[in-house]
């Protein structure tokens, strides 16, 4: 059942190229100048009345939502607020018929996410669900459903569901951007063509494990780890830190790299592992400065950057180079080595990778 792999988690990490491909199939196609979304019935007129989008979810799905905010605001120019479902439902959010809500849930059964969906519907909002389970509660109660085609996810720690949630976010952003005219056909084509190459690039990345395995083998004994990044890299840093916490029980925190100086840099001491993401082209130089700042305090840095950014090797102990894609699509690739880092670290520590302590796959009570 594990297809020759030692754990479900590593099997599911390896299923990501296929999951990405399946989630794009029949929606994003070569030479087709539009997103085909038969599952979503939102019209141009409906969209004109939408003044705000809320993305609501828990855990890993919430992290996919943070990427969604960046991407939808950038491509469709609609203001987006992201919230964790357990906060959203109790804070009297401003919802009305001009609100579009996107809920994200792998299982489609998470209690808080479902409650947030119901709250939005009571106030007249339209709800789109991104879920992996056909016929789940979230799928049944939402107005429109965009299924991720990740296939069953068994390991408690979410991996392939996350990357397909990202793909769903790009699909929605492209769709909305074209529908309201804020996304040019040239930019649409550029992103479409690069998206179609992601499965192959993810596959390539899965074969570049040595640097990660080595870093895990030398740093698994640490008590704290820091994940830093800017823009979309910060969103991925949050997900990377969650993965390591969940399955290896190492305390990890993610920071927007520009925030280091406002407090957390006080925690950087000799030998502290820092995981630095530097995939965002326009922020690359700023990330280099942040990396130098932590190195000056003795941090051990593993960096993630696109091929060609060799400068980063001068300031890092180890570098994982990602095959080049658009900055906006980087999360789909950069999360993969972070999942592997969490996995190999947990294995080194002898943890129960697929069933981490205190956690359940689907949180159906609040
Ligand atoms: C983390 C993880 C959880 C889930 C969260 C939401 O690896 O699996 O954080 O992402 O419990 O679950 P769904 O997406 O089923 O609503």
């Amino acid at each position: 059942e594990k297809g020759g792999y030692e754990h479900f988690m590593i099997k599911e990490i390896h299923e990501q190229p296929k999951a990405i491909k399946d989630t794009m199939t029949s929606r994003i196609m070569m030479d087709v100048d539009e997103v085909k979304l038969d599952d979503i019935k939102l019209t141009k007129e409906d969209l004109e009345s939408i003044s705000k989008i809320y993305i609501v979810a828990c855990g890993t799905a919430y992290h996919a939502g943070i990427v969604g905010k960046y991407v939808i605001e950038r491509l469709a120019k609609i203001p987006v607020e992201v919230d964790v479902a357990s906060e959203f439902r109790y804070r009297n959010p401003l919802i009305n018929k001009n609100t579009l809500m996107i809920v994200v849930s792998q299982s489609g059964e998470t209690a808080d996410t479902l409650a947030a969906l119901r709250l939005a519907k009571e106030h007249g909002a339209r709800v789109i669900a991104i879920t992996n389970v056909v016929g789940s509660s979230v799928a049944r109660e939402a107005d429109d459903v965009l299924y991720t085609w990740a296939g069953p996810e068994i390991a408690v720690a979410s991996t392939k569901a996350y990357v397909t949630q990202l793909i769903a976010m790009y699909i929605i952003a492209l769709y909305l951007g074209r529908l309201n005219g804020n996304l040019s056909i040239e930019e649409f084509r550029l992103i479409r063509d690069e998206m179609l190459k992601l499965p192959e690039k993810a596959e390539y990345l899965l074969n570049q494990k040595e640097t990660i395995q080595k870093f895990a083998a030398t740093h698994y004994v640490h008590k704290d780890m820091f994940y830093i990044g800017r823009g979309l890299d910060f969103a991925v840093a949050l997900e990377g830190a969650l993965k390591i916490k969940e399955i290896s029980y190492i305390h990890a925190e993610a920071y927007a790299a520009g925030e280091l100086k406002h407090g957390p840099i006080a925690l950087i001491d000799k030998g502290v592992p820092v995981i630095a993401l530097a995939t965002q082209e326009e922020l690359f130089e700023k990330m280099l400065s942040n990396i130098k700042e932590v190195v000056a305090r003795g941090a051990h840095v593993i960096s993630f950057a696109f091929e060609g950014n060799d400068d980063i090797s001068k300031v890092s102990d180890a570098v994982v180079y990602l095959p080049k894609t658009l900055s906006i699509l980087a999360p789909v690739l950069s999360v993969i080595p972070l999942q592997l880092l969490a996995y190999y670290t947990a294995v080194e520590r002898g943890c129960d990778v697929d069933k981490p302590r205190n956690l359940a796959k689907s949180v159906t009570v609040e």
Side-chain angles (χ1 to χ4, degrees), residues 64-282:
I66 300 174
V67 173
K69 173 189 163 72
Y70 278 83
V71 173
I72 293 171
E73 288 191 341
R74 163 97 194 270
L75 304 183
K77 312 265 189 292
I78 306 167
V80 182
E81 211 178 309
V82 197
D83 213 337
V84 288
S86 57
E87 287 298 312
F88 182 86
R89 64 181 290 201
Y90 294 119
R91 74 170 165 91
N92 298 315
L94 304 172
I95 319 167
N96 56 41
K97 60 176 183 14
N98 303 118
T99 312
L100 175 66
M101 186 199 226
I102 303 174
V103 292
V104 192
S105 176
Q106 187 282 127
S107 63
E109 302 297 344
T110 301
D112 283 321
T113 307
L114 192 56
L117 178 162
R118 288 177 179 155
L119 182 73
K121 293 220 68 178
E122 274 165 32
H123 288 80
R126 186 183 185 110
V127 181
I128 299 179
I130 297 175
T131 182
N132 196 41
V133 178
V134 176
S136 59
S137 302
V138 159
R140 279 186 278 113
E141 297 192 28
D143 296 293
D144 304 288
V145 187
L146 185 69
Y147 285 109
T148 50
W149 297 116
E153 194 180 58
I154 311 290
V156 165
S158 184
T159 55
K160 61 177 181 168
Y162 173 79
V163 297
T164 60
Q165 287 159 359
L166 296 183
I167 297 296
M169 288 298 177
Y170 294 113
I171 289 174
I172 289 177
L174 291 172
Y175 182 76
L176 297 179
R178 288 303 293 154
L179 200 58
N180 70 11
N182 279 317
L183 177 66
S184 70
I185 192 69
E186 291 75 24
E187 200 178 0
F188 170 83
R189 287 179 184 144
L190 185 68
I191 298 170
R192 173 199 64 199
D193 292 352
E194 286 300 320
M195 280 178 77
L196 292 170
K197 292 179 199 154
L198 288 171
E200 193 187 314
K201 291 179 182 178
E203 193 73 61
Y204 169 83
L205 203 47
L206 285 166
N207 295 319
Q208 314 289 310
K209 295 188 258 242
E210 296 76 34
T211 312
I212 298 284
Q213 277 172 316
K214 212 169 130 203
F215 196 83
T218 45
H219 292 89
Y220 72 94
V221 290
H222 284 272
K223 287 201 174 66
D224 303 288
M225 284 195 182
F226 295 92
Y227 286 68
I228 59 171
R230 288 171 176 257
L232 285 170
D233 284 337
F234 172 48
V236 177
L238 287 164
E239 174 58 8
L242 175 65
K243 284 294 88 98
I244 205 131
K245 282 184 267 207
E246 282 185 287
I247 62 164
S248 78
Y249 316 141
I250 294 176
H251 166 237
E253 290 199 63
Y255 284 105
E259 274 288 292
L260 281 169
K261 282 197 179 79
H262 301 282
I265 200 157
L267 296 165
I268 305 295
D269 203 353
K270 279 205 177 47
V272 171
V274 172
I275 289 75
L277 289 113
T279 69
Q280 300 298 297
E281 212 157 4
E282 67 282 20

